[in-house]
Amino acid sequence: MVCVSVVMPSYNHARFIAQAIKSVLHQSMGDIELIVVDDQSQDNSNAIIASIDDPRLRHIRLSKNVGACAAMNIAISHCTGEYIAICNSDDIWERHKLERQLAVIKTMPEVGAIFSDVSWINDNGKELKGAALPHFSTVFAQPNRSRYGWIRHLIETGNCLCHPSALIRRTVFETLGAYNNMLRQLPDLDMWLRVVQAYEIHVMRDRLVRFRIHANNTSQPNDINTLRTWREHTLIANSFFDEVSQDNFYHAMGIADFVSFHDEHPATFTREKVAYLTRSSCTFRKLFLKIGIDMAYRCSLKYKAPILSALEFHALTASQALIEAQPLITTRPLGRRLLRHIIGPVMYERLRALRLHANKNLLPLL
């Protein structure tokens, strides 16, 4: 058994993979194994991997293309180390990466995974600076938060943890399971949300990875990747709000009605989630409003009792139509006038009266 198992999925990165492998094998601590799983590359990646002679390197060549997460999961299944680290086949590690991360995580038994910041390089390995940096160059420079703070930050703003910087206890994967191969753009976000619901994490300020920007990055902005990213965030968010525990939800998102904190009926917890989702003003507010409306409807049928009154529900569906039809509306008076026009003056006045006795957060436009 080694201290650290390093996993590296490989696919058509012949130009970069030798540098990636050598940056792992040349680490300042040598008690490692490197498992490279090639997902049926069509270039000469496999020949390059096979040419590197080091007993710590294990090369697994797949007979068919299975997807990046499946290749990652195969690599993880062969790990023997106490810790598992991830290195992309187009990135480069700094020589002291593992040594520095191990020194920190060994002093933090409550931490399940540790991350770092990065420097940015181009196709040729040259560091990007100034105007040449990508617009998201500071995304991985994150302050540390409690796991509850991370739950809220990740679901409300998206991924901001560097995947190839991660050093993870193997027990985390044994407890939480593998990566979801149904996801292409955001499998790491899905994984980190699962991690922080059970473990603390830590982000080092050190730039321990040289993150390469090139035309074939999986995350390279284009129409297809942008649409797929949005759809995958929708799937992840739906699953998260369906499955999150009461303890994690209340500590991360707060409580709309403190009386409900001691009420264990599932409909009460659902009502709290709907309240949060429908009042959120985060980046994904449109998505959250839709999830909240769908959840209120589904669960009212499931529990044979309304999660919201019919009038509250009508107000939410009207506000959703208002937001989608008028994305530039930012002031309350204009929103009120349009809502009154959409649902009619009689229904509008009934809703205003109801608001005096209901949770005001559920009727934000009145």
Short mmCIF file of all heavy atoms in Angstrom, two decimals, residues 176-225:
data_model
loop_
_atom_site.label_atom_id
_atom_site.label_comp_id
_atom_site.label_asym_id
_atom_site.label_seq_id
_atom_site.Cartn_x
_atom_site.Cartn_y
_atom_site.Cartn_z
N LEU A 176 -18.99 7.68 -0.37
CA LEU A 176 -19.91 8.44 -1.21
C LEU A 176 -20.12 7.85 -2.59
O LEU A 176 -21.08 8.21 -3.28
CB LEU A 176 -19.41 9.89 -1.36
CG LEU A 176 -19.24 10.67 -0.06
CD1 LEU A 176 -18.74 12.07 -0.36
CD2 LEU A 176 -20.55 10.74 0.72
N GLY A 177 -19.25 6.97 -3.02
CA GLY A 177 -19.39 6.38 -4.34
C GLY A 177 -18.58 7.11 -5.40
O GLY A 177 -17.82 8.04 -5.12
N ALA A 178 -18.75 6.68 -6.64
CA ALA A 178 -17.91 7.13 -7.76
C ALA A 178 -18.49 8.36 -8.44
O ALA A 178 -19.56 8.87 -8.08
CB ALA A 178 -17.76 5.98 -8.76
N TYR A 179 -17.78 8.83 -9.47
CA TYR A 179 -18.26 9.94 -10.29
C TYR A 179 -19.44 9.49 -11.15
O TYR A 179 -19.55 8.33 -11.54
CB TYR A 179 -17.14 10.44 -11.21
CG TYR A 179 -16.06 11.22 -10.49
CD1 TYR A 179 -14.96 10.56 -9.94
CD2 TYR A 179 -16.11 12.60 -10.38
CE1 TYR A 179 -13.96 11.26 -9.28
CE2 TYR A 179 -15.12 13.31 -9.73
CZ TYR A 179 -14.05 12.64 -9.18
OH TYR A 179 -13.05 13.33 -8.54
N ASN A 180 -20.30 10.44 -11.47
CA ASN A 180 -21.48 10.16 -12.29
C ASN A 180 -21.13 10.34 -13.76
O ASN A 180 -20.96 11.46 -14.24
CB ASN A 180 -22.62 11.11 -11.90
CG ASN A 180 -23.91 10.82 -12.65
OD1 ASN A 180 -23.95 10.00 -13.56
ND2 ASN A 180 -24.97 11.51 -12.29
N ASN A 181 -21.04 9.23 -14.49
CA ASN A 181 -20.64 9.28 -15.90
C ASN A 181 -21.73 9.82 -16.81
O ASN A 181 -21.51 10.03 -18.01
CB ASN A 181 -20.21 7.89 -16.39
CG ASN A 181 -19.39 7.97 -17.67
OD1 ASN A 181 -18.53 8.84 -17.83
ND2 ASN A 181 -19.64 7.05 -18.60
N MET A 182 -22.94 10.09 -16.27
CA MET A 182 -23.99 10.73 -17.06
C MET A 182 -23.66 12.21 -17.30
O MET A 182 -24.21 12.83 -18.20
CB MET A 182 -25.34 10.62 -16.35
CG MET A 182 -25.82 9.20 -16.13
SD MET A 182 -26.27 8.38 -17.68
CE MET A 182 -27.82 9.20 -18.02
N LEU A 183 -22.77 12.75 -16.48
CA LEU A 183 -22.41 14.17 -16.56
C LEU A 183 -21.10 14.33 -17.31
O LEU A 183 -20.16 13.57 -17.08
CB LEU A 183 -22.29 14.77 -15.16
CG LEU A 183 -23.53 14.63 -14.26
CD1 LEU A 183 -23.23 15.12 -12.86
CD2 LEU A 183 -24.71 15.39 -14.86
N ARG A 184 -21.03 15.34 -18.17
CA ARG A 184 -19.81 15.61 -18.92
C ARG A 184 -19.15 16.91 -18.48
O ARG A 184 -17.94 16.97 -18.33
CB ARG A 184 -20.11 15.66 -20.42
CG ARG A 184 -18.89 16.03 -21.28
CD ARG A 184 -19.22 16.00 -22.75
NE ARG A 184 -18.16 16.55 -23.57
CZ ARG A 184 -17.09 15.90 -23.97
NH1 ARG A 184 -16.93 14.63 -23.62
NH2 ARG A 184 -16.17 16.48 -24.73
N GLN A 185 -19.95 17.96 -18.26
CA GLN A 185 -19.40 19.27 -17.92
C GLN A 185 -19.19 19.43 -16.42
O GLN A 185 -18.23 20.07 -16.00
CB GLN A 185 -20.33 20.38 -18.41
CG GLN A 185 -20.61 20.38 -19.89
CD GLN A 185 -19.37 20.56 -20.73
OE1 GLN A 185 -19.15 19.85 -21.69
NE2 GLN A 185 -18.54 21.52 -20.36
N LEU A 186 -20.07 18.87 -15.61
CA LEU A 186 -20.07 19.19 -14.18
C LEU A 186 -20.01 17.97 -13.25
O LEU A 186 -20.59 18.00 -12.17
CB LEU A 186 -21.33 20.00 -13.84
CG LEU A 186 -21.49 21.35 -14.54
CD1 LEU A 186 -22.82 21.98 -14.17
CD2 LEU A 186 -20.34 22.29 -14.18
N PRO A 187 -19.31 16.90 -13.62
CA PRO A 187 -19.25 15.77 -12.68
C PRO A 187 -18.50 16.14 -11.40
O PRO A 187 -18.77 15.58 -10.34
CB PRO A 187 -18.49 14.69 -13.47
CG PRO A 187 -17.68 15.46 -14.46
CD PRO A 187 -18.54 16.62 -14.84
N ASP A 188 -17.56 17.09 -11.50
CA ASP A 188 -16.83 17.50 -10.30
C ASP A 188 -17.73 18.30 -9.36
O ASP A 188 -17.68 18.11 -8.14
CB ASP A 188 -15.57 18.29 -10.66
CG ASP A 188 -15.77 19.35 -11.72
OD1 ASP A 188 -16.84 19.38 -12.35
OD2 ASP A 188 -14.83 20.15 -11.95
N LEU A 189 -18.58 19.18 -9.88
CA LEU A 189 -19.53 19.89 -9.03
C LEU A 189 -20.43 18.91 -8.30
O LEU A 189 -20.67 19.04 -7.09
CB LEU A 189 -20.38 20.86 -9.85
CG LEU A 189 -21.52 21.56 -9.11
CD1 LEU A 189 -21.00 22.40 -7.95
CD2 LEU A 189 -22.36 22.41 -10.06
N ASP A 190 -20.94 17.92 -9.02
CA ASP A 190 -21.77 16.89 -8.40
C ASP A 190 -21.01 16.18 -7.28
O ASP A 190 -21.56 15.96 -6.18
CB ASP A 190 -22.21 15.89 -9.47
CG ASP A 190 -22.94 14.70 -8.89
OD1 ASP A 190 -24.08 14.87 -8.44
OD2 ASP A 190 -22.36 13.59 -8.88
N MET A 191 -19.74 15.85 -7.52
CA MET A 191 -18.94 15.18 -6.51
C MET A 191 -18.68 16.07 -5.31
O MET A 191 -18.82 15.66 -4.15
CB MET A 191 -17.61 14.70 -7.11
CG MET A 191 -16.67 14.03 -6.11
SD MET A 191 -17.38 12.58 -5.28
CE MET A 191 -17.33 11.38 -6.63
N TRP A 192 -18.32 17.34 -5.54
CA TRP A 192 -17.98 18.22 -4.41
C TRP A 192 -19.22 18.49 -3.55
O TRP A 192 -19.11 18.60 -2.32
CB TRP A 192 -17.38 19.53 -4.89
CG TRP A 192 -16.22 19.42 -5.83
CD1 TRP A 192 -15.88 20.30 -6.81
CD2 TRP A 192 -15.21 18.39 -5.87
NE1 TRP A 192 -14.76 19.87 -7.48
CE2 TRP A 192 -14.32 18.70 -6.92
CE3 TRP A 192 -14.98 17.22 -5.15
CZ2 TRP A 192 -13.22 17.91 -7.25
CZ3 TRP A 192 -13.90 16.41 -5.47
CH2 TRP A 192 -13.04 16.75 -6.50
N LEU A 193 -20.40 18.58 -4.17
CA LEU A 193 -21.62 18.76 -3.38
C LEU A 193 -21.88 17.54 -2.49
O LEU A 193 -22.34 17.67 -1.35
CB LEU A 193 -22.82 19.01 -4.30
CG LEU A 193 -23.07 20.46 -4.69
CD1 LEU A 193 -24.13 20.54 -5.78
CD2 LEU A 193 -23.49 21.29 -3.48
N ARG A 194 -21.57 16.37 -3.01
CA ARG A 194 -21.71 15.18 -2.17
C ARG A 194 -20.69 15.18 -1.04
O ARG A 194 -21.00 14.82 0.10
CB ARG A 194 -21.55 13.92 -3.03
CG ARG A 194 -22.78 13.60 -3.86
CD ARG A 194 -22.66 12.24 -4.50
NE ARG A 194 -21.92 12.28 -5.75
CZ ARG A 194 -21.25 11.25 -6.27
NH1 ARG A 194 -21.20 10.10 -5.61
NH2 ARG A 194 -20.64 11.36 -7.42
N VAL A 195 -19.46 15.61 -1.36
CA VAL A 195 -18.39 15.62 -0.35
C VAL A 195 -18.74 16.56 0.79
O VAL A 195 -18.65 16.19 1.98
CB VAL A 195 -17.05 16.01 -0.99
CG1 VAL A 195 -15.99 16.25 0.10
CG2 VAL A 195 -16.56 14.91 -1.93
N VAL A 196 -19.14 17.80 0.49
CA VAL A 196 -19.35 18.78 1.56
C VAL A 196 -20.61 18.51 2.36
O VAL A 196 -20.81 19.11 3.43
CB VAL A 196 -19.36 20.22 1.00
CG1 VAL A 196 -18.01 20.59 0.43
CG2 VAL A 196 -20.46 20.43 -0.03
N GLN A 197 -21.46 17.61 1.91
CA GLN A 197 -22.60 17.22 2.74
C GLN A 197 -22.19 16.21 3.80
O GLN A 197 -22.99 15.91 4.71
CB GLN A 197 -23.72 16.66 1.86
CG GLN A 197 -24.40 17.72 1.02
CD GLN A 197 -25.56 17.18 0.21
OE1 GLN A 197 -26.64 16.93 0.75
NE2 GLN A 197 -25.33 16.97 -1.07
N ALA A 198 -20.95 15.73 3.72
CA ALA A 198 -20.49 14.74 4.69
C ALA A 198 -19.16 15.09 5.34
O ALA A 198 -18.87 14.61 6.44
CB ALA A 198 -20.38 13.37 4.03
N TYR A 199 -18.34 15.92 4.66
CA TYR A 199 -16.98 16.21 5.14
C TYR A 199 -16.67 17.70 5.01
O TYR A 199 -17.21 18.39 4.15
CB TYR A 199 -15.94 15.45 4.30
CG TYR A 199 -16.07 13.95 4.32
CD1 TYR A 199 -16.86 13.29 3.38
CD2 TYR A 199 -15.37 13.18 5.25
CE1 TYR A 199 -16.97 11.90 3.37
CE2 TYR A 199 -15.47 11.79 5.24
CZ TYR A 199 -16.27 11.16 4.31
OH TYR A 199 -16.38 9.80 4.30
N GLU A 200 -15.75 18.14 5.86
CA GLU A 200 -15.16 19.46 5.65
C GLU A 200 -14.15 19.36 4.51
O GLU A 200 -13.63 18.28 4.20
CB GLU A 200 -14.43 19.94 6.92
CG GLU A 200 -15.32 20.09 8.15
CD GLU A 200 -16.29 21.25 8.05
OE1 GLU A 200 -16.09 22.13 7.19
OE2 GLU A 200 -17.26 21.27 8.83
N ILE A 201 -13.87 20.50 3.85
CA ILE A 201 -12.82 20.56 2.84
C ILE A 201 -11.93 21.76 3.15
O ILE A 201 -12.28 22.61 3.97
CB ILE A 201 -13.39 20.67 1.40
CG1 ILE A 201 -14.14 21.99 1.23
CG2 ILE A 201 -14.29 19.48 1.08
CD1 ILE A 201 -14.55 22.27 -0.21
N HIS A 202 -10.78 21.81 2.49
CA HIS A 202 -9.84 22.91 2.72
C HIS A 202 -9.21 23.32 1.39
O HIS A 202 -8.87 22.46 0.58
CB HIS A 202 -8.74 22.47 3.70
CG HIS A 202 -7.77 23.57 4.04
ND1 HIS A 202 -8.07 24.58 4.92
CD2 HIS A 202 -6.50 23.82 3.60
CE1 HIS A 202 -7.04 25.39 5.03
NE2 HIS A 202 -6.08 24.96 4.23
N VAL A 203 -9.08 24.64 1.19
CA VAL A 203 -8.45 25.17 -0.02
C VAL A 203 -7.17 25.89 0.35
O VAL A 203 -7.19 26.83 1.15
CB VAL A 203 -9.39 26.14 -0.77
CG1 VAL A 203 -8.73 26.65 -2.04
CG2 VAL A 203 -10.71 25.46 -1.11
N MET A 204 -6.05 25.44 -0.22
CA MET A 204 -4.76 26.10 0.00
C MET A 204 -4.60 27.25 -0.99
O MET A 204 -5.07 27.18 -2.13
CB MET A 204 -3.62 25.09 -0.18
CG MET A 204 -3.67 23.94 0.80
SD MET A 204 -2.38 22.69 0.48
CE MET A 204 -0.89 23.67 0.81
N ARG A 205 -3.94 28.30 -0.55
CA ARG A 205 -3.70 29.44 -1.43
C ARG A 205 -2.56 29.19 -2.41
O ARG A 205 -2.41 29.92 -3.39
CB ARG A 205 -3.43 30.70 -0.61
CG ARG A 205 -4.64 31.13 0.23
CD ARG A 205 -4.41 32.48 0.88
NE ARG A 205 -5.59 32.93 1.60
CZ ARG A 205 -5.69 34.12 2.20
NH1 ARG A 205 -4.68 34.98 2.14
NH2 ARG A 205 -6.79 34.44 2.84
N ASP A 206 -1.74 28.18 -2.13
CA ASP A 206 -0.60 27.87 -3.00
C ASP A 206 -1.09 27.53 -4.40
O ASP A 206 -2.10 26.84 -4.57
CB ASP A 206 0.17 26.66 -2.45
CG ASP A 206 0.51 26.80 -0.98
OD1 ASP A 206 -0.43 27.01 -0.20
OD2 ASP A 206 1.69 26.69 -0.62
N ARG A 207 -0.34 27.95 -5.40
CA ARG A 207 -0.64 27.58 -6.79
C ARG A 207 0.16 26.32 -7.12
O ARG A 207 1.31 26.38 -7.54
CB ARG A 207 -0.28 28.74 -7.73
CG ARG A 207 -1.13 29.97 -7.48
CD ARG A 207 -0.77 31.10 -8.42
NE ARG A 207 -1.64 32.26 -8.20
CZ ARG A 207 -1.57 33.39 -8.88
NH1 ARG A 207 -0.64 33.54 -9.84
NH2 ARG A 207 -2.40 34.39 -8.62
N LEU A 208 -0.51 25.18 -6.94
CA LEU A 208 0.19 23.89 -7.02
C LEU A 208 -0.05 23.16 -8.33
O LEU A 208 0.52 22.09 -8.54
CB LEU A 208 -0.24 23.01 -5.85
CG LEU A 208 0.06 23.58 -4.45
CD1 LEU A 208 -0.43 22.63 -3.37
CD2 LEU A 208 1.55 23.87 -4.30
N VAL A 209 -0.88 23.73 -9.20
CA VAL A 209 -1.17 23.12 -10.50
C VAL A 209 -0.98 24.17 -11.58
O VAL A 209 -1.39 25.32 -11.41
CB VAL A 209 -2.61 22.58 -10.55
CG1 VAL A 209 -2.95 22.05 -11.94
CG2 VAL A 209 -2.81 21.48 -9.50
N ARG A 210 -0.38 23.74 -12.70
CA ARG A 210 -0.35 24.59 -13.89
C ARG A 210 -1.48 24.11 -14.81
O ARG A 210 -1.38 23.05 -15.42
CB ARG A 210 1.01 24.51 -14.59
CG ARG A 210 2.08 25.32 -13.87
CD ARG A 210 3.42 25.18 -14.56
NE ARG A 210 4.33 24.34 -13.78
CZ ARG A 210 5.52 23.95 -14.18
NH1 ARG A 210 5.96 24.30 -15.38
NH2 ARG A 210 6.28 23.19 -13.42
N PHE A 211 -2.53 24.88 -14.83
CA PHE A 211 -3.77 24.52 -15.53
C PHE A 211 -3.67 25.01 -16.97
O PHE A 211 -3.57 26.20 -17.23
CB PHE A 211 -4.95 25.16 -14.82
CG PHE A 211 -6.29 24.57 -15.16
CD1 PHE A 211 -7.00 23.82 -14.24
CD2 PHE A 211 -6.86 24.77 -16.41
CE1 PHE A 211 -8.25 23.29 -14.55
CE2 PHE A 211 -8.10 24.24 -16.73
CZ PHE A 211 -8.79 23.49 -15.80
N ARG A 212 -3.75 24.06 -17.91
CA ARG A 212 -3.51 24.40 -19.31
C ARG A 212 -4.81 24.80 -20.02
O ARG A 212 -5.83 24.11 -19.94
CB ARG A 212 -2.89 23.21 -20.05
CG ARG A 212 -2.29 23.58 -21.41
CD ARG A 212 -1.80 22.35 -22.15
NE ARG A 212 -0.82 21.59 -21.42
CZ ARG A 212 0.50 21.79 -21.48
NH1 ARG A 212 0.99 22.75 -22.24
NH2 ARG A 212 1.33 21.03 -20.79
N ILE A 213 -4.76 25.93 -20.71
CA ILE A 213 -5.87 26.39 -21.53
C ILE A 213 -5.55 26.12 -23.00
O ILE A 213 -4.53 26.59 -23.51
CB ILE A 213 -6.11 27.91 -21.34
CG1 ILE A 213 -6.45 28.23 -19.88
CG2 ILE A 213 -7.22 28.40 -22.26
CD1 ILE A 213 -7.77 27.67 -19.42
N HIS A 214 -6.41 25.32 -23.64
CA HIS A 214 -6.19 25.03 -25.06
C HIS A 214 -7.53 24.77 -25.73
O HIS A 214 -8.57 24.69 -25.07
CB HIS A 214 -5.23 23.84 -25.25
CG HIS A 214 -5.71 22.57 -24.59
ND1 HIS A 214 -6.50 21.66 -25.24
CD2 HIS A 214 -5.48 22.07 -23.35
CE1 HIS A 214 -6.74 20.64 -24.43
NE2 HIS A 214 -6.14 20.86 -23.27
N ALA A 215 -7.52 24.64 -27.03
CA ALA A 215 -8.77 24.59 -27.81
C ALA A 215 -9.63 23.38 -27.49
O ALA A 215 -10.85 23.41 -27.69
CB ALA A 215 -8.44 24.61 -29.31
N ASN A 216 -9.03 22.29 -26.97
CA ASN A 216 -9.79 21.07 -26.75
C ASN A 216 -10.16 20.83 -25.29
O ASN A 216 -10.55 19.72 -24.92
CB ASN A 216 -8.99 19.87 -27.27
CG ASN A 216 -8.82 19.91 -28.78
OD1 ASN A 216 -9.72 20.33 -29.50
ND2 ASN A 216 -7.65 19.51 -29.26
N ASN A 217 -10.05 21.86 -24.44
CA ASN A 217 -10.51 21.72 -23.07
C ASN A 217 -11.98 21.31 -23.05
O ASN A 217 -12.79 21.86 -23.81
CB ASN A 217 -10.38 23.03 -22.30
CG ASN A 217 -8.96 23.32 -21.83
OD1 ASN A 217 -8.37 24.29 -22.25
ND2 ASN A 217 -8.42 22.47 -20.98
N THR A 218 -12.32 20.38 -22.16
CA THR A 218 -13.73 19.98 -22.02
C THR A 218 -14.61 21.16 -21.63
O THR A 218 -15.76 21.26 -22.03
CB THR A 218 -13.85 18.87 -20.96
OG1 THR A 218 -13.02 17.78 -21.32
CG2 THR A 218 -15.29 18.40 -20.83
N SER A 219 -14.05 22.08 -20.85
CA SER A 219 -14.80 23.24 -20.38
C SER A 219 -14.69 24.44 -21.29
O SER A 219 -15.16 25.52 -20.96
CB SER A 219 -14.32 23.63 -18.98
OG SER A 219 -12.92 23.88 -18.98
N GLN A 220 -14.06 24.27 -22.46
CA GLN A 220 -13.90 25.39 -23.39
C GLN A 220 -15.27 25.99 -23.74
O GLN A 220 -16.18 25.27 -24.15
CB GLN A 220 -13.21 24.92 -24.67
CG GLN A 220 -12.83 26.03 -25.64
CD GLN A 220 -11.71 26.89 -25.14
OE1 GLN A 220 -10.97 26.51 -24.26
NE2 GLN A 220 -11.57 28.08 -25.71
N PRO A 221 -15.44 27.33 -23.56
CA PRO A 221 -16.75 27.93 -23.84
C PRO A 221 -17.17 27.79 -25.30
O PRO A 221 -16.42 28.16 -26.20
CB PRO A 221 -16.54 29.41 -23.46
CG PRO A 221 -15.35 29.42 -22.55
CD PRO A 221 -14.47 28.29 -23.03
N ASN A 222 -18.33 27.22 -25.55
CA ASN A 222 -18.97 27.22 -26.87
C ASN A 222 -20.45 26.95 -26.63
O ASN A 222 -20.87 26.68 -25.50
CB ASN A 222 -18.34 26.17 -27.81
CG ASN A 222 -18.40 24.76 -27.26
OD1 ASN A 222 -19.46 24.29 -26.84
ND2 ASN A 222 -17.26 24.06 -27.26
N ASP A 223 -21.24 27.04 -27.68
CA ASP A 223 -22.69 26.93 -27.51
C ASP A 223 -23.11 25.60 -26.91
O ASP A 223 -23.96 25.53 -26.02
CB ASP A 223 -23.39 27.15 -28.85
CG ASP A 223 -23.32 28.59 -29.33
OD1 ASP A 223 -22.98 29.46 -28.50
OD2 ASP A 223 -23.58 28.84 -30.52
N ILE A 224 -22.50 24.51 -27.40
CA ILE A 224 -22.87 23.18 -26.92
C ILE A 224 -22.51 23.02 -25.45
O ILE A 224 -23.32 22.56 -24.64
CB ILE A 224 -22.21 22.08 -27.77
CG1 ILE A 224 -22.80 22.09 -29.19
CG2 ILE A 224 -22.40 20.71 -27.12
CD1 ILE A 224 -22.16 21.10 -30.13
N ASN A 225 -21.27 23.38 -25.09
CA ASN A 225 -20.84 23.24 -23.70
C ASN A 225 -21.65 24.12 -22.76
O ASN A 225 -21.96 23.73 -21.63
CB ASN A 225 -19.36 23.57 -23.58
CG ASN A 225 -18.47 22.47 -24.14
OD1 ASN A 225 -18.95 21.38 -24.45
ND2 ASN A 225 -17.19 22.75 -24.27
#
